[in-house]
Amino acid sequence: MANPFHLVVDNVDKRFNTKQGEFIAIRDINLRVQRGEFTALIGHSGCGKSTLLNLIAGLDVATNGVLVCAGREISGPGPDRGVVFQNHSLLPWLTCFDNVYLAVERVFSATEKKPQLIARTEAALKMVGLTHATHKHPNEISGGMKQRVGIARALSIEPAVLLLDEPFGALDALTRAHLQDELMRIVADTKSTVVMVTHDVDEAVLLSDKIVMMTNGPSATIGEILDVKLARPRDRLELAEDTDYHYYRKAVVEFLYSKQKKAA
Amino acid sequence: MSASLTIDAMLTTSGDAAVPAMPAPEAPVEVIPLTAEQIAAAAEREAQTQLAVRRRRDRLAGLVQSVVPGLVGILIFLLLWQGLTHVATQIPGPVKVWDSAVKLFSDPFYRKGPNDQGIGWNILASLQRVGLGFGLAALVGIPAGFMIGRFEYLNRMTSPIISLLRPVSPLAWLPIGLMVFKAANPAAIWVIFICSIWPMIINTATGVQRIPQDYLNVARVLNLSEWKVFTKILFPAVLPYMLTGVKLSIGVAWLVIVAAEMLTGGVGIGFWLWDEWNNLVVEHIIIAIFTIGIVGLLLEQALIWIAKRFQFD
Ligand SMILES: Nc1ncnc2c1ncn2[C@@H]1O[C@H](COP(=O)(O)OP(=O)(O)OP(=O)(O)O)[C@@H](O)[C@H]1O
Ligand SMILES: [Mg+2]
């Protein structure tokens, strides 16, 4: 099957059964992501960004529609999709190394020997610049470092798609900027396909090739899709004076704050 | 207040006692002219020692503050006890009990027949029963707790029975034990088993149910095998809860063993206490009470210590 798209979301609806009856979280979602593309999902809180990402991750099942990743229909979670959760989700009783190793071992132990698994784990930690924290426990490192371990864990398994749910949401602005730069470098190095949920306009424009803007829930859907054609590598300082950057930024802001104004 | 007075007095004396040779800060140490660096270095040294002294004094003060009220309490308790002996003359005073205890604990491991053994043997016999009953309860209760926590159906199935049986005094199970095992010792172990198992089941099950969804999501996105999920996620996440259950169990078990042994006889601290009552050696009864208290305290402290080692965040 020669599908040019790496990730396909086709006519997907997600309804939840709640005590007040059926709740339509998202509907009619159609999305095509090419290999190596960086896609951001943006929208107001509660519109269903996490819901959509969870469907792609396979943590939840769509009520209607089909999702396809790397030519295979998504029927559950799997190591072909690496997930970075909003709140790092590291296991506190394992060191950074062991947290990553758990994932590496799961995916590669069938084909590789222990030294190779260790090498992969170390490489993943090195990629996020945490070689020095290899044998620390999560409670001994900062929030930004934890999030980096989460990214290392997700990428260590060489997923077809990397899924990030507001990975930097809980971090301070400086750390966030730093990790954004780092993520851009890592994604460029690994040529990863990424879908990232965010509610930060600058983050979306800086990182993405494509910004998927969602309408407000309930029964949210994709409002607009913006192709961001800024050259890479991108530099946040240079972009600050770039007219295209401001054009894209304005488009997103306009969508969020005038077309999809949040009824406060 | 006399209590705070004592504290202050002790604070100053102990603080001073810790640094007897320290010169006062104003006192000139040497009279020979010094270079600026030397003076600076000396000042630095001086500041360092001052700091160290202050730290030591703070630590001592903290210690004094945490220990002194306890000591005062014990003192008051002893005084009240002594006072009580004047009213109720059959109760021996602290001094008499102490003397008796010294004698008793100077030879804890003698054996003069099955009903006359040293207090050490009695304590060990009780600890052994608790250990066995408790160990068996852990062996059964912890896996059961895992299952009940993991499978909602099982939880619903077992919860009425557990809620019904849990409030029953463990001693109520003693006749059944005697009937089934036809011997006192296994019956006592059986009672310990019954009383220890509920906290272990319930706490383990609660721990399993309270595992953060995030951790389980990690397992799901990686598609970990059941074994990995258990060893890397379930077990470590539940461990603190489990240890709480274990701690509660051992407390109850130690409470219950004394009563069970009074009923079953044999060797053991509870039986010994009852035997001394029959012999009317009241000092020994009081010694038994304190011994039971101290052993119970040690058991609990040991478990708290273990639990601390498995605490994350
Ligand atoms: N399991 C569930 N059962 C019922 N309703 C749910 C469930 N999960 C999500 N929802 C509802 O679906 C809607 C979308 O939730 P979702 O978490 O996807 O929002 P979001 O866009 O990720 O928001 P945020 O930016 O705050 O994370 C919300 O109204 C939420 O209440
Ligand atoms: Mg969300």
Side-chain angles (χ1 to χ4, degrees):
Chain A
M1 202 170 73
N3 196 326
F5 295 107
H6 203 50
L7 178 71
V8 178
V9 180
D10 218 29
N11 279 321
V12 163
D13 299 351
K14 178 67 193 175
R15 301 189 201 121
F16 290 108
N17 289 315
T18 63
K19 288 196 189 85
Q20 291 84 28
E22 195 171 66
F23 177 82
I24 304 175
I26 51 177
R27 61 172 175 85
D28 302 328
I29 302 283
N30 286 291
L31 188 62
R32 303 268 180 281
V33 176
Q34 275 175 332
R35 185 186 289 276
E37 207 170 32
F38 196 119
T39 305
L41 294 177
I42 198 166
H44 286 290
S45 181
C47 70
K49 306 180 293 290
S50 296
T51 303
L52 178 54
L53 201 78
N54 285 347
L55 293 180
I56 300 172
L59 289 170
D60 221 333
V61 185
T63 316
N64 279 319
V66 190
L67 296 104
V68 181
C69 174
R72 284 204 303 176
E73 187 172 345
I74 295 171
S75 59
D80 57 332
R81 281 146 289 146
V83 185
V84 178
F85 299 94
Q86 179 157 10
N87 45 355
H88 70 79
S89 296
L90 299 180
L91 302 173
W93 42 84
L94 298 183
T95 60
C96 296
F97 181 90
D98 288 332
N99 265 290
V100 178
Y101 189 81
L102 187 67
V104 171
E105 191 187 27
R106 165 67 187 84
V107 176
F108 298 106
S109 68
T111 51
E112 292 179 13
K113 295 229 158 45
K114 190 151 185 186
Q116 283 158 291
L117 302 181
I118 291 174
R120 275 184 185 275
T121 308
E122 281 168 351
L125 284 167
K126 182 164 180 241
M127 180 174 64
V128 295
L130 280 183
T131 303
H132 62 283
T134 304
H135 296 294
K136 288 205 168 130
H137 281 86
N139 61 353
E140 298 168 316
I141 60 177
S142 70
M145 287 160 88
K146 283 180 211 170
Q147 218 42 279
R148 282 194 272 171
V149 179
I151 293 171
R153 177 172 65 186
L155 281 172
S156 67
I157 58 176
E158 295 184 352
V161 180
L162 177 65
L163 304 171
L164 305 129
D165 192 351
E166 294 188 29
F168 311 136
L171 303 176
D172 64 276
L174 284 176
T175 311
R176 187 186 309 180
H178 179 64
L179 285 192
Q180 286 164 352
D181 290 342
E182 212 152 307
L183 182 64
M184 270 197 291
R185 174 182 62 75
I186 291 167
V187 168
D189 287 352
T190 55
K191 302 191 172 56
S192 303
T193 310
V194 186
V195 178
M196 172 172 175
V197 169
T198 179
H199 53 224
D200 180 334
V201 178
D202 290 297
E203 182 170 277
V205 179
L206 177 69
L207 298 177
S208 318
D209 300 308
K210 193 189 262 178
I211 301 177
V212 175
M213 293 176 260
M214 293 183 66
T215 62
N216 287 343
S219 99
T221 189
I222 294 175
E224 284 175 32
I225 295 182
L226 181 71
D227 284 312
V228 181
K229 296 200 175 89
L230 294 170
R232 290 183 188 271
R234 297 176 185 168
D235 181 294
R236 68 175 66 243
L237 286 177
E238 285 167 19
L239 286 181
E241 283 145 35
D242 190 303
T243 46
D244 287 345
Y245 176 83
H246 285 283
Y247 163 78
Y248 293 124
R249 200 181 175 285
K250 189 154 170 277
V252 180
V253 168
E254 223 157 58
F255 177 86
L256 287 178
Y257 300 107
S258 70
K259 293 181 203 160
Q260 292 296 323
K261 204 165 176 173
K262 187 88 178 159
Chain B
M1 287 299 289
S2 68
S4 64
L5 238 165
T6 344
I7 294 172
D8 286 346
M10 283 193 71
L11 218 127
T12 36
T13 45
S14 54
D16 288 346
V19 282
M22 269 305 299
E26 302 82 28
V29 185
E30 286 178 29
V31 204
I32 311 155
L34 297 165
T35 65
E37 291 94 75
Q38 273 176 314
I39 292 171
E44 170 79 359
R45 255 201 316 279
E46 179 76 354
Q48 288 289 326
T49 34
Q50 285 280 315
L51 199 71
V53 167
R54 193 163 336 121
R55 275 221 197 96
R56 208 171 331 148
R57 193 173 297 182
D58 284 351
R59 219 173 19 232
L60 252 157
L63 196 72
V64 163
Q65 258 164 10
S66 62
V67 168
V68 166
L71 291 176
V72 171
I74 290 172
L75 195 73
I76 291 173
F77 174 80
L78 291 175
L79 286 174
L80 283 176
W81 178 6
Q82 185 62 44
L84 193 69
T85 57
H86 293 296
V87 186
T89 42
Q90 69 273 35
I91 294 177
V95 179
K96 201 168 163 206
V97 170
W98 176 257
D99 287 342
S100 175
V102 169
K103 211 181 297 159
L104 208 59
F105 279 97
S106 59
D107 184 16
F109 294 108
Y110 70 85
R111 269 198 177 120
K112 292 184 202 152
N115 282 340
D116 187 9
Q117 304 196 1
I119 189 158
W121 289 124
N122 282 296
I123 295 173
L124 284 183
S126 297
L127 280 176
Q128 191 191 18
R129 282 189 198 108
V130 166
L132 273 172
F134 178 78
L136 287 173
L139 229 55
V140 177
I142 289 172
F146 267 104
M147 303 280 283
I148 289 171
R150 194 97 165 101
F151 304 107
E152 185 53 32
Y153 191 82
L154 209 60
N155 184 18
R156 296 226 182 99
M157 210 167 82
T158 50
S159 87
I161 306 169
I162 293 178
S163 329
L164 182 88
L165 294 182
R166 195 168 58 104
V168 177
S169 163
L171 291 174
W173 294 91
L174 187 61
I176 306 241
L178 287 168
M179 187 182 75
V180 171
F181 300 110
K182 300 193 172 57
N185 200 35
I189 294 171
W190 156 253
V191 169
I192 297 302
F193 171 83
I194 286 286
C195 77
S196 320
I197 200 162
W198 308 124
M200 289 208 227
I201 292 182
I202 292 166
N203 279 280
T204 308
T206 310
V208 173
Q209 285 160 350
R210 294 228 184 121
I211 293 180
Q213 190 57 44
D214 296 345
Y215 298 163
L216 298 177
N217 278 344
V218 171
R220 287 181 63 203
V221 294
L222 291 175
N223 251 338
L224 295 178
S225 64
E226 274 296 317
W227 174 246
K228 277 278 170 203
V229 173
F230 180 78
T231 54
K232 297 288 176 179
I233 296 176
L234 282 186
F235 188 77
V238 173
L239 198 60
Y241 289 89
M242 225 165 70
L243 286 171
T244 306
V246 166
K247 202 175 79 196
L248 289 173
S249 297
I250 201 115
V252 179
W254 190 243
L255 277 182
V256 165
I257 191 67
V258 174
E261 284 172 350
M262 282 184 181
L263 293 170
T264 59
V267 186
I269 190 76
F271 168 71
W272 186 76
L273 194 157
W274 196 248
D275 203 37
E276 296 305 304
W277 159 238
N278 287 331
N279 301 336
L280 273 175
V281 190
V282 186
E283 295 97 276
H284 286 187
I285 295 179
I286 295 173
I287 292 168
I289 289 173
F290 281 113
T291 308
I292 292 164
I294 290 167
V295 174
L297 192 71
L298 291 178
L299 284 176
E300 190 162 302
Q301 287 303 317
L303 277 163
I304 290 175
W305 181 78
I306 293 172
K308 271 216 187 101
R309 313 208 54 192
F310 290 100
Q311 212 84 64
F312 306 97
D313 354 279

mmCIF file with all atom_site columns, all heavy atoms in Angstrom, chain A residues 46 48-51 86 165-166 197, ligand 2:
data_model
loop_
_atom_site.group_PDB
_atom_site.id
_atom_site.type_symbol
_atom_site.label_atom_id
_atom_site.label_alt_id
_atom_site.label_comp_id
_atom_site.label_asym_id
_atom_site.label_entity_id
_atom_site.label_seq_id
_atom_site.pdbx_PDB_ins_code
_atom_site.Cartn_x
_atom_site.Cartn_y
_atom_site.Cartn_z
_atom_site.occupancy
_atom_site.B_iso_or_equiv
_atom_site.pdbx_formal_charge
_atom_site.auth_seq_id
_atom_site.auth_comp_id
_atom_site.auth_asym_id
_atom_site.auth_atom_id
_atom_site.pdbx_PDB_model_num
ATOM   1  N  N   . GLY A 1 46  ? -9.784  21.970 27.017 1.00 0.00 ? 46  GLY A N   1
ATOM   2  C  CA  . GLY A 1 46  ? -11.000 21.159 27.025 1.00 0.00 ? 46  GLY A CA  1
ATOM   3  C  C   . GLY A 1 46  ? -11.590 20.899 25.650 1.00 0.00 ? 46  GLY A C   1
ATOM   4  O  O   . GLY A 1 46  ? -12.668 20.319 25.542 1.00 0.00 ? 46  GLY A O   1
ATOM   5  N  N   . GLY A 1 48  ? -10.366 18.968 23.352 1.00 0.00 ? 48  GLY A N   1
ATOM   6  C  CA  . GLY A 1 48  ? -10.219 17.575 22.933 1.00 0.00 ? 48  GLY A CA  1
ATOM   7  C  C   . GLY A 1 48  ? -8.878  17.250 22.314 1.00 0.00 ? 48  GLY A C   1
ATOM   8  O  O   . GLY A 1 48  ? -8.738  16.261 21.604 1.00 0.00 ? 48  GLY A O   1
ATOM   9  N  N   . LYS A 1 49  ? -7.885  18.057 22.610 1.00 0.00 ? 49  LYS A N   1
ATOM   10 C  CA  . LYS A 1 49  ? -6.542  17.794 22.065 1.00 0.00 ? 49  LYS A CA  1
ATOM   11 C  C   . LYS A 1 49  ? -5.977  16.497 22.633 1.00 0.00 ? 49  LYS A C   1
ATOM   12 O  O   . LYS A 1 49  ? -5.487  15.644 21.892 1.00 0.00 ? 49  LYS A O   1
ATOM   13 C  CB  . LYS A 1 49  ? -5.591  18.954 22.408 1.00 0.00 ? 49  LYS A CB  1
ATOM   14 C  CG  . LYS A 1 49  ? -6.087  20.322 21.995 1.00 0.00 ? 49  LYS A CG  1
ATOM   15 C  CD  . LYS A 1 49  ? -5.120  21.425 22.347 1.00 0.00 ? 49  LYS A CD  1
ATOM   16 C  CE  . LYS A 1 49  ? -4.955  21.657 23.837 1.00 0.00 ? 49  LYS A CE  1
ATOM   17 N  NZ  . LYS A 1 49  ? -6.151  22.248 24.471 1.00 0.00 ? 49  LYS A NZ  1
ATOM   18 N  N   . SER A 1 50  ? -6.072  16.370 23.946 1.00 0.00 ? 50  SER A N   1
ATOM   19 C  CA  . SER A 1 50  ? -5.559  15.145 24.568 1.00 0.00 ? 50  SER A CA  1
ATOM   20 C  C   . SER A 1 50  ? -6.350  13.943 24.094 1.00 0.00 ? 50  SER A C   1
ATOM   21 O  O   . SER A 1 50  ? -5.795  12.863 23.888 1.00 0.00 ? 50  SER A O   1
ATOM   22 C  CB  . SER A 1 50  ? -5.645  15.238 26.081 1.00 0.00 ? 50  SER A CB  1
ATOM   23 O  OG  . SER A 1 50  ? -4.827  16.272 26.553 1.00 0.00 ? 50  SER A OG  1
ATOM   24 N  N   . THR A 1 51  ? -7.640  14.138 23.931 1.00 0.00 ? 51  THR A N   1
ATOM   25 C  CA  . THR A 1 51  ? -8.485  13.035 23.464 1.00 0.00 ? 51  THR A CA  1
ATOM   26 C  C   . THR A 1 51  ? -7.977  12.528 22.116 1.00 0.00 ? 51  THR A C   1
ATOM   27 O  O   . THR A 1 51  ? -7.804  11.323 21.919 1.00 0.00 ? 51  THR A O   1
ATOM   28 C  CB  . THR A 1 51  ? -9.940  13.523 23.343 1.00 0.00 ? 51  THR A CB  1
ATOM   29 O  OG1 . THR A 1 51  ? -10.348 14.025 24.604 1.00 0.00 ? 51  THR A OG1 1
ATOM   30 C  CG2 . THR A 1 51  ? -10.858 12.411 22.906 1.00 0.00 ? 51  THR A CG2 1
ATOM   31 N  N   . GLN A 1 86  ? 2.151   14.751 29.673 1.00 0.00 ? 86  GLN A N   1
ATOM   32 C  CA  . GLN A 1 86  ? 2.229   16.111 30.204 1.00 0.00 ? 86  GLN A CA  1
ATOM   33 C  C   . GLN A 1 86  ? 3.023   16.160 31.508 1.00 0.00 ? 86  GLN A C   1
ATOM   34 O  O   . GLN A 1 86  ? 3.804   17.069 31.727 1.00 0.00 ? 86  GLN A O   1
ATOM   35 C  CB  . GLN A 1 86  ? 0.810   16.640 30.438 1.00 0.00 ? 86  GLN A CB  1
ATOM   36 C  CG  . GLN A 1 86  ? 0.779   18.039 31.012 1.00 0.00 ? 86  GLN A CG  1
ATOM   37 C  CD  . GLN A 1 86  ? -0.520  18.750 30.732 1.00 0.00 ? 86  GLN A CD  1
ATOM   38 O  OE1 . GLN A 1 86  ? -1.486  18.150 30.272 1.00 0.00 ? 86  GLN A OE1 1
ATOM   39 N  NE2 . GLN A 1 86  ? -0.541  20.037 30.976 1.00 0.00 ? 86  GLN A NE2 1
ATOM   40 N  N   . ASP A 1 165 ? 2.158   15.372 24.617 1.00 0.00 ? 165 ASP A N   1
ATOM   41 C  CA  . ASP A 1 165 ? 0.986   16.081 25.140 1.00 0.00 ? 165 ASP A CA  1
ATOM   42 C  C   . ASP A 1 165 ? 1.447   17.199 26.068 1.00 0.00 ? 165 ASP A C   1
ATOM   43 O  O   . ASP A 1 165 ? 1.800   16.956 27.213 1.00 0.00 ? 165 ASP A O   1
ATOM   44 C  CB  . ASP A 1 165 ? 0.068   15.117 25.888 1.00 0.00 ? 165 ASP A CB  1
ATOM   45 C  CG  . ASP A 1 165 ? -1.283  15.745 26.198 1.00 0.00 ? 165 ASP A CG  1
ATOM   46 O  OD1 . ASP A 1 165 ? -1.434  16.966 25.980 1.00 0.00 ? 165 ASP A OD1 1
ATOM   47 O  OD2 . ASP A 1 165 ? -2.181  15.018 26.655 1.00 0.00 ? 165 ASP A OD2 1
ATOM   48 N  N   . GLU A 1 166 ? 1.423   18.405 25.558 1.00 0.00 ? 166 GLU A N   1
ATOM   49 C  CA  . GLU A 1 166 ? 1.879   19.577 26.332 1.00 0.00 ? 166 GLU A CA  1
ATOM   50 C  C   . GLU A 1 166 ? 3.106   19.244 27.155 1.00 0.00 ? 166 GLU A C   1
ATOM   51 O  O   . GLU A 1 166 ? 3.095   19.364 28.383 1.00 0.00 ? 166 GLU A O   1
ATOM   52 C  CB  . GLU A 1 166 ? 0.760   20.076 27.239 1.00 0.00 ? 166 GLU A CB  1
ATOM   53 C  CG  . GLU A 1 166 ? -0.408  20.627 26.446 1.00 0.00 ? 166 GLU A CG  1
ATOM   54 C  CD  . GLU A 1 166 ? -1.445  21.298 27.330 1.00 0.00 ? 166 GLU A CD  1
ATOM   55 O  OE1 . GLU A 1 166 ? -1.053  21.821 28.385 1.00 0.00 ? 166 GLU A OE1 1
ATOM   56 O  OE2 . GLU A 1 166 ? -2.614  21.313 26.953 1.00 0.00 ? 166 GLU A OE2 1
ATOM   57 N  N   . VAL A 1 197 ? 0.769   18.294 21.221 1.00 0.00 ? 197 VAL A N   1
ATOM   58 C  CA  . VAL A 1 197 ? -0.320  19.130 21.719 1.00 0.00 ? 197 VAL A CA  1
ATOM   59 C  C   . VAL A 1 197 ? 0.280   20.318 22.444 1.00 0.00 ? 197 VAL A C   1
ATOM   60 O  O   . VAL A 1 197 ? 1.243   20.167 23.195 1.00 0.00 ? 197 VAL A O   1
ATOM   61 C  CB  . VAL A 1 197 ? -1.210  18.339 22.699 1.00 0.00 ? 197 VAL A CB  1
ATOM   62 C  CG1 . VAL A 1 197 ? -2.171  19.258 23.424 1.00 0.00 ? 197 VAL A CG1 1
ATOM   63 C  CG2 . VAL A 1 197 ? -1.952  17.246 21.975 1.00 0.00 ? 197 VAL A CG2 1
HETATM 64 MG MG  . MG  C 2 .   ? -5.010  17.893 27.545 1.00 0.00 ? 2   MG  C MG  1
#
